[in-house]
Amino acid sequence: MSQDVPEPLVAYDHTDLVNRPKRIWNWGNIPLPGLLLPALGAAFGFGLLWLVALFSLAAFLPFLGMSIWTSLLYFGPPIAVYFVWGRPLPSALTLSQQLVVWADWWWQPKRLQGLAADREPEELRWQVILWAPGSPRWQSRYDAARRTAAERGTAFSARS
């Protein structure tokens, strides 16, 4: 009988429910998919500031007055913010998550106080957790596995 080759372990994370983008609005009982709410909020906030700034400048610069051509200047950047804000970066984080990581990195209290030296540890210590089954159900399976390993002559049969 040939030895069984163990399958590689594969782990999937299906629990990212809190950080998953909310893309659904409900209007009564009718779901409206397709809107990324954090990006929509960021685009709305940026768009409001952008319009106030451009309308203020338009009072002094007449070529910034509202026309078909300047509407791209007025509405293009907020629309771009919507699409950039919700798209994952190469680090698999969205722009809002990356900004939180960046702010935490630069403004953490240890860094502000000068205590966060960026250096590698000089010594690495390994910690091993050994488990011995205590329940009779597991003990019988463990003993059966040891007997099978002893018959096959594998390293699992070494005495402990």
Side-chain angles (χ1 to χ4, degrees):
M1 190 170 207
S2 67
Q3 284 185 330
D4 294 330
V5 178
E7 293 287 324
L9 292 177
V10 179
Y12 297 99
D13 181 18
H14 298 287
T15 61
D16 196 18
L17 297 176
V18 173
N19 295 326
R20 187 176 64 203
K22 280 53 169 184
R23 292 185 180 266
I24 295 177
W25 279 358
N26 286 327
W27 185 36
N29 290 329
I30 303 169
L32 302 172
L35 290 176
L36 186 58
L37 296 182
L40 190 64
F44 180 77
F46 173 77
L48 197 62
L49 293 174
W50 183 250
L51 288 176
V52 166
L54 283 181
F55 282 139
S56 299
L57 284 173
F60 302 106
L61 303 171
F63 65 88
L64 284 179
M66 188 60 109
S67 72
I68 193 73
W69 299 110
T70 58
S71 65
L72 292 175
L73 179 66
Y74 278 82
F75 299 111
I79 291 171
V81 165
Y82 172 78
F83 287 106
V84 169
W85 195 268
R87 167 177 250 142
L89 299 171
S91 64
L93 298 174
T94 61
L95 185 59
S96 60
Q97 293 167 338
Q98 187 66 43
L99 288 175
V100 168
V101 169
W102 180 82
D104 182 56
W105 169 255
W106 285 105
W107 291 320
Q108 57 183 311
K110 285 173 62 177
R111 187 178 264 307
L112 291 176
Q113 295 167 2
L115 301 174
D118 187 15
R119 61 176 185 260
E120 296 292 328
E122 296 175 8
E123 232 177 82
L124 292 177
R125 296 174 190 249
W126 291 90
Q127 183 176 8
V128 178
I129 299 173
L130 298 175
W131 174 75
S135 126
R137 181 175 62 111
W138 283 107
Q139 188 65 45
S140 64
R141 290 184 183 177
Y142 182 71
D143 291 338
R146 285 186 65 109
R147 279 193 303 274
T148 304
E151 292 169 3
R152 293 182 183 168
T154 63
F156 188 69
S157 64
R159 300 261 179 215
S160 51

